[in-house]
Amino acid sequence: MEKEPGITKKVDEFLEIFRKGEEFTKEILRENEKLRFRIAQLEGAVQKPAEEESVRMYEDRIRKLEEEINAVMERYHKVEEENKDFASKYVEVEEINNALANLYVASYQLHSTLDFDEVLRIIIEIVINLIGAEVFAILLIDEKTNDIVPVSAEGIPLEMVPKARFGEGIIGSVAKEGESYFAADISSGGDVAKGEPIVCIPLKIKEHVIGAIAIFSLLTQKEGFTNVDYELFNLLAGHAATAIFSARLYTQSERKLTTIQSFLELLKEKPKR
Amino acid sequence: MPNILVVEDSPTMRQLISFAMKRIPNARVIEATDGVDALKKLSSEKVDLILADINMPVMDGLKLVSLVKNNQSYKDIPVIIITTEGAREDKERALAIGANAYLAKPIQTQELIKLVTSFISA
């Protein structure tokens, strides 16, 4: 059976149209695929700057926090230093406080009596307990002979301490000049027999020297002098001298009063006979 | 409130130690002039710590330590011996008869306060 040429032509045309439609559809699908890919690309491109922005933001925050930490650490170290400074100042204040307490007790005790022997005993206690001297003597100037005579001693018998001449030797020079003497080496001790102390303090009322304290050796545990020791030496130089002078005057006036009273009693009794 | 008994014949030293002890918060200082006086104070007052000199008239510090440490009522009271003697044998003698600690003169106030506080707060 022979096909009609018109139908064949129409079939061919239809097939042609169909193929074209197929190609067109395929083309559309390809385009669609390309567009999807492009959309995905664009979407990615849009997200990336947002992520970078947040990373930058976090980096900024980290940097700021690091700066804050550094500032805090710096402040902490500063406070720590201040704390150390305060601690050392506290220790210093404590030491001053202790020194003042010692000086207060020493001066209080020195002026607590007008008894000459007791004043000497208090000076001895201060020199032993506060300064830490082992062998020492208190010497007073005899204004008649100008000799510097030992009146009390600790660690050695009083008779063993020699008199000193005013202006001669260490003790005599201290009495004359009114300036304290400190040996360069205090560890070896002084020489009692030669009248060579390691420390000699003048006993002064203003500029008038009335005697001296001569230290010949220190207690074994006392290795050297501290600031408070020098303060005590100064205190002793002034206050001990005043205390000795007052006690002497008081004893003399007491003696005179007793003599006068006895004399008056005698005068009262005379008319009765 | 810790009660500290200071046994010292020298008024200067007694005042100095008492002065230092009063700087310990709430501390109350009881003073005695020798060992016998200290025993009298012990019988009438509650004492938490004794600070005693070795060289004293009537009864010395070592005798006082031995009496305190052999008495049931007082044996637990810490005793710190203070003396001018720096020799090792004196320190050992004091510790052997029961003294809890030893301090040589001249006293460093800070050292004394630290030592006393360590016994009081223990």
Side-chain angles (χ1 to χ4, degrees):
Chain A
M1 192 174 81
E2 200 178 308
K3 287 179 185 176
E4 279 182 40
I7 292 170
T8 311
K9 197 183 173 186
K10 278 182 182 173
V11 168
D12 286 344
E13 278 175 1
F14 175 75
L15 283 170
E16 187 60 27
I17 290 165
F18 186 79
R19 261 197 307 275
K20 276 183 182 173
E22 187 191 6
E23 265 175 33
F24 183 68
T25 309
K26 278 180 183 173
E27 185 71 19
I28 285 171
L29 283 170
R30 266 199 301 277
E31 275 304 308
N32 191 309
E33 194 59 34
K34 273 182 190 173
L35 283 170
R36 279 177 187 233
F37 179 72
R38 184 72 190 136
I39 286 167
Q41 262 186 337
L42 286 170
E43 275 179 353
V46 169
Q47 252 177 9
K48 213 173 177 183
E51 276 172 15
E52 277 172 5
E53 184 62 28
S54 65
V55 167
R56 256 200 307 276
M57 196 183 78
Y58 283 122
E59 277 175 353
D60 277 351
R61 277 197 74 180
I62 288 167
R63 207 171 20 254
K64 274 179 190 166
L65 285 169
E66 274 176 351
E67 279 170 11
E68 274 176 33
I69 287 169
N70 287 340
V72 168
M73 286 304 282
E74 207 176 300
R75 182 85 190 112
Y76 170 76
H77 290 307
K78 219 175 176 183
V79 169
E80 207 176 27
E81 282 303 309
E82 278 174 2
N83 208 13
K84 274 183 199 164
D85 197 35
F86 281 133
S88 70
K89 273 192 183 131
Y90 175 77
V91 172
E92 215 173 285
V93 168
E94 276 288 290
E95 276 169 16
I96 292 168
N97 205 1
N98 293 336
L100 285 172
N102 288 358
L103 294 172
Y104 166 77
V105 170
S107 62
Y108 177 88
Q109 288 294 329
L110 277 172
H111 298 294
S112 65
T113 180
L114 282 170
D115 183 278
F116 181 71
D117 291 332
E118 208 176 334
V119 169
L120 291 181
R121 188 185 55 75
I122 289 166
I123 295 171
I124 286 171
E125 280 183 6
I126 291 167
V127 179
I128 297 173
N129 298 318
L130 296 183
I131 292 171
E134 189 177 31
V135 178
F136 60 94
I138 303 167
L139 302 100
L140 295 176
I141 297 173
D142 183 334
E143 283 171 4
K144 286 176 195 160
T145 61
N146 236 8
D147 282 340
I148 306 155
V149 186
V151 289
S152 189
E154 183 67 28
I156 35 156
L158 185 61
E159 316 80 68
M160 279 182 69
V161 184
K163 280 181 188 174
R165 287 290 301 165
F166 192 78
E168 291 174 18
I170 295 171
I171 298 170
S173 300
V174 166
K176 189 184 176 190
E177 306 296 331
E179 295 294 329
S180 299
Y181 165 82
F182 299 97
D185 177 24
I186 57 164
S187 58
S188 51
D191 191 325
V192 180
K194 287 181 185 169
E196 289 175 359
I198 52 168
V199 175
C200 191
I201 313 294
L203 296 171
K204 291 197 291 187
I205 298 169
K206 287 196 175 171
E207 292 312 307
H208 177 61
V209 180
I210 64 155
I213 297 171
I215 299 172
F216 296 97
S217 74
L218 301 173
L219 292 168
T220 46
Q221 62 271 24
K222 181 84 179 179
E223 288 163 355
F225 295 122
T226 59
N227 286 340
V228 71
D229 292 327
Y230 292 108
E231 292 292 335
L232 276 164
F233 288 139
N234 287 337
L235 177 128
L236 278 171
H239 289 244
T242 318
I244 287 173
F245 190 75
S246 310
R248 258 182 162 180
L249 275 183
Y250 182 74
T251 311
Q252 280 169 8
S253 61
E254 278 284 286
R255 208 179 298 142
K256 277 178 188 166
L257 183 70
T258 314
T259 313
I260 291 165
Q261 273 175 342
S262 309
F263 185 67
L264 284 172
E265 286 298 318
L266 267 172
L267 285 176
K268 276 181 196 170
E269 279 171 19
K270 251 188 177 176
K272 286 178 189 171
R273 289 175 192 175
Chain B
M1 184 196 277
N3 288 338
I4 300 165
L5 177 61
V6 177
V7 193
E8 170 66 71
D9 61 315
S10 149
T12 309
M13 206 53 203
R14 204 165 56 236
Q15 192 182 17
L16 193 80
I17 297 170
S18 300
F19 226 82
M21 291 303 99
K22 281 171 190 165
R23 287 172 55 198
I24 296 173
N26 303 319
R28 183 174 155 255
V29 179
I30 305 158
E31 294 184 358
T33 52
D34 55 58
V36 173
D37 192 21
L39 289 172
K40 274 186 207 161
K41 297 276 162 66
L42 274 168
S43 64
S44 60
E45 306 250 17
K46 180 195 168 285
V47 172
D48 298 293
L49 186 133
I50 301 170
L51 271 168
D53 186 17
I54 283 191
N55 302 315
M56 287 184 294
V58 190
M59 185 194 286
D60 68 19
L62 294 176
K63 179 77 181 161
L64 174 69
V65 175
S66 108
L67 287 173
V68 165
K69 291 297 174 183
N70 286 307
N71 184 302
Q72 279 303 308
S73 311
Y74 312 139
K75 68 178 172 55
D76 294 327
I77 301 173
V79 183
I80 299 172
I81 285 289
I82 298 173
T83 186
T84 47
E85 321 297 331
R88 201 176 158 181
E89 55 266 29
D90 291 307
K91 182 179 176 179
E92 282 167 0
R93 202 153 53 105
L95 296 175
I97 57 163
N100 298 73
Y102 179 99
L103 214 56
K105 290 179 191 174
I107 284 175
Q108 301 300 312
T109 314
Q110 273 303 96
E111 200 184 336
L112 174 67
I113 293 173
K114 209 173 156 187
L115 186 64
V116 169
T117 311
S118 72
F119 280 105
I120 286 171
S121 52

